[in-house]
Amino acid sequence: MNPAGAPPLHVTGPDGPWEAVSAGLERRGSVVVYATWGEWLTAALADTALRPLLGRDWQRYRRTPDAAVRYRFVTSRMVVKYTAAAALRTDPAALDLSYRLGGRPYIRGMSQIDVSLSHTEDLIAVGISRTGRIGVDVEPADRRMSFELLRDRVCIPAEAAELDRMPPERQVAEMLRLWTLKEAYTKALGQGLRLGFTEFGFGLADGGLLGPDGSPAGGGAWSFGTHRVLRRYLLSTACSDTGLDTARDTAADTMFDEGFMSAVEEELEAG
């Protein structure tokens, strides 16, 4: 089974479809959704409970002077919270979204759940996993990436050799797919740009993880997938499987630490 290869789900607003998100997490242990900020904007502006929903992000939202940046910010946080809430079968406002160094989001008190967020132009993508680390990356499908300029900065020799044999148009398309896969993998590892793209690679035919010398790596613990969404974006996912039981209960009331939940409830009541 390749969890990262499952098609991402389009969630067009707070109404979901969230049952499909919950079912995907239960079946595969991970799920990826996508949306546009325009689809969520009306709901964000009309939500009278937006402040408790955003929690610690409320002040950042209010203080962002540029309207477009502010709206993208609030809708992306809503998509993260609603997706996590659907996966955990709880109220989005009950989840406390926080950030690690580098900006990677996580749900406080929920170390069993990994979260990844990516956005470009009007697209937002969110990945949730309970089997290990997950990373997502999105790019416009028409983005032109020069193989000649990026070859030595992005490709290991095995990848470069495969790309060399391709006609120019396919070379451009495969280069973009390779870029999104590498971004997704480094995000999943929590490394971002600190891990050089020439320190690992992918087999362009089978999508398998490679070491810098071109030999197979990862031992089957990682799965990868790339999909075109809304006909104009590429969305790539990297997902690890640490051997956790994908059938276990992930309802928030069974996974949250009781002391942490009490603290969140008190904070919400005080707000």
Side-chain angles (χ1 to χ4, degrees):
M1 181 176 67
N2 178 3
L9 302 171
H10 188 186
V11 290
T12 57
D15 291 332
W18 301 118
E19 283 300 320
V21 172
S22 300
L25 189 78
E26 290 175 4
R27 191 163 55 246
R28 297 183 300 273
S30 64
V31 66
V32 176
V33 308
Y34 66 93
T36 66
W37 69 273
E39 291 170 332
W40 282 70
L41 183 57
T42 299
L45 296 179
D47 192 344
T48 58
L50 187 60
R51 181 170 184 170
L53 176 65
L54 288 182
R56 67 181 66 242
D57 282 328
W58 172 255
Q59 292 301 327
R60 179 176 172 186
Y61 164 64
R62 294 289 293 171
R63 292 171 181 168
T64 301
D66 186 284
V69 175
R70 185 167 65 250
Y71 294 150
R72 288 187 182 96
F73 175 79
V74 69
T75 53
S76 68
R77 270 54 187 180
M78 287 182 72
V79 176
V80 171
K81 281 207 167 184
Y82 271 87
T83 304
L88 298 166
R89 301 190 296 279
T90 192
D91 183 350
L95 301 178
D96 188 6
L97 186 65
S98 192
Y99 306 91
R100 296 186 171 88
L101 290 176
R104 182 179 175 85
Y106 71 98
I107 307 297
R108 289 184 65 203
M110 291 293 296
S111 60
Q112 303 96 325
I113 294 292
D114 198 45
V115 180
S116 183
L117 168 67
S118 183
H119 49 81
T120 186
E121 297 182 351
D122 66 339
L123 187 73
I124 301 162
V126 175
I128 303 281
S129 175
R130 59 183 172 126
T131 62
R133 304 303 296 270
I134 190 168
V136 295
D137 187 65
V138 289
E139 294 287 347
D142 61 357
R143 180 179 177 185
R144 306 290 292 185
M145 305 191 79
S146 171
F147 171 55
E148 293 303 322
L149 290 177
L150 294 174
R151 173 181 182 144
D152 294 337
R153 295 172 51 195
V154 175
C155 301
I156 63 171
E159 293 168 329
E162 283 193 78
L163 288 166
D164 274 333
R165 295 191 289 270
M166 295 179 182
E169 283 305 309
R170 187 182 171 198
Q171 196 178 72
V172 169
E174 288 297 315
M175 189 70 186
L176 182 60
R177 181 170 74 96
L178 187 63
W179 178 275
T180 61
L181 284 169
K182 294 201 173 194
E183 285 275 11
Y185 181 55
T186 56
K187 288 179 181 180
L189 294 175
Q191 294 296 310
L193 296 176
R194 293 187 299 275
L195 179 62
F197 281 3
T198 57
E199 296 180 39
F200 64 97
F202 292 96
L204 297 185
D206 61 9
L209 184 65
L210 305 176
D213 62 353
S215 61
W222 286 89
S223 63
F224 305 92
T226 302
H227 295 87
R228 185 180 284 248
V229 298
L230 300 179
R231 298 192 299 274
R232 61 186 188 275
Y233 297 105
L234 282 190
L235 191 165
S236 284
T237 304
C239 189
S240 70
D241 185 351
T242 57
L244 297 175
D245 181 10
T246 59
R248 65 182 180 170
D249 187 7
T250 55
D253 57 0
T254 62
M255 294 183 73
F256 267 125
D257 174 79
E258 291 183 5
F260 175 77
M261 279 300 291
S262 297
V264 171
E265 289 170 358
E266 290 174 4
E267 184 175 334
L268 290 174
E269 291 173 359

